[in-house]
Every structure is written in C-alpha cells, then in structure tokens.
Amino acid sequence: MWPFGKSAKQRFEEALADQRLTAVLGLQVEVKDKTAKVTGEVPNERYKDLVRAIGAGINGINDVDVSALKVVESAAGADAMAATAAGEQAAPD
C-alpha cells in the first residue's frame, strides 16, 4: 500500500484536501469493500464527477458512491467557488 501505512480512506481524504475545489467542502469519506461513500455538500452537480475522478485515482478504491452528496446552490457559494477556481480570493461582503 503506497504511501506506506495509509489506508485507502486516508489517501482519498488527502487527495480531496489537496484539490482546491474540494478542500473547502469538508466532505466525509467511508470506504468499505473497495467502495468509497462520500457525504457532504457540494455547490453543483459537476462536483460529483470531480469527486468520482479523484477517487478513481486512489489505489484500493474501485467505486465511488456520491449518492449521499447534497447539492446546495447559493449565489454566495457560487461566487466563492468561481473565485477559488480563478485563483482569486473572494472578497467579504
């Protein structure tokens, strides 16, 4: 298992934390029988695909279940995510 001593769950959590779009979301990960179940809130449906793609790159994970991810769209959240994606810092109101 690479890196040594880390579980698939820990590697997936670290990968989510390393990705700037998912790092701020505080997603929870559980792994059972090589299936990762991710829970939490995302700003739009496209984030589910991003989470799946990140999980697909983790050794020890064969499937990523995002059915428990809740899409919560808000104008402030969308502005903050757009600023993050553009590499800017969102200005406080």
Side-chain angles (χ1 to χ4, degrees):
M1 177 184 312
W2 180 258
F4 297 109
K6 293 195 178 185
S7 67
K9 175 184 175 181
Q10 290 169 318
R11 290 191 309 274
F12 194 6
E13 288 171 335
E14 286 180 4
L16 289 169
D18 288 343
Q19 167 57 251
R20 68 180 175 193
L21 294 175
T22 57
V24 298
L25 300 177
L27 302 176
Q28 295 83 43
V29 176
E30 292 299 322
V31 178
K32 183 177 180 183
D33 299 327
K34 296 189 177 188
T35 297
K37 182 173 184 174
V38 184
T39 58
E41 296 180 348
V42 294
N44 61 54
E45 285 290 330
R46 294 177 300 204
Y47 276 73
K48 291 182 179 183
D49 292 332
L50 176 59
V51 169
R52 280 191 203 101
I54 293 169
I58 305 298
N59 188 25
I61 295 178
N62 293 342
D63 190 30
V64 179
D65 177 5
V66 295
S67 63
L69 282 178
K70 183 178 178 184
V71 176
V72 179
E73 294 189 36
S74 70
D79 290 345
M81 291 300 164
T84 301
E88 302 170 0
Q89 197 171 38
D93 291 335

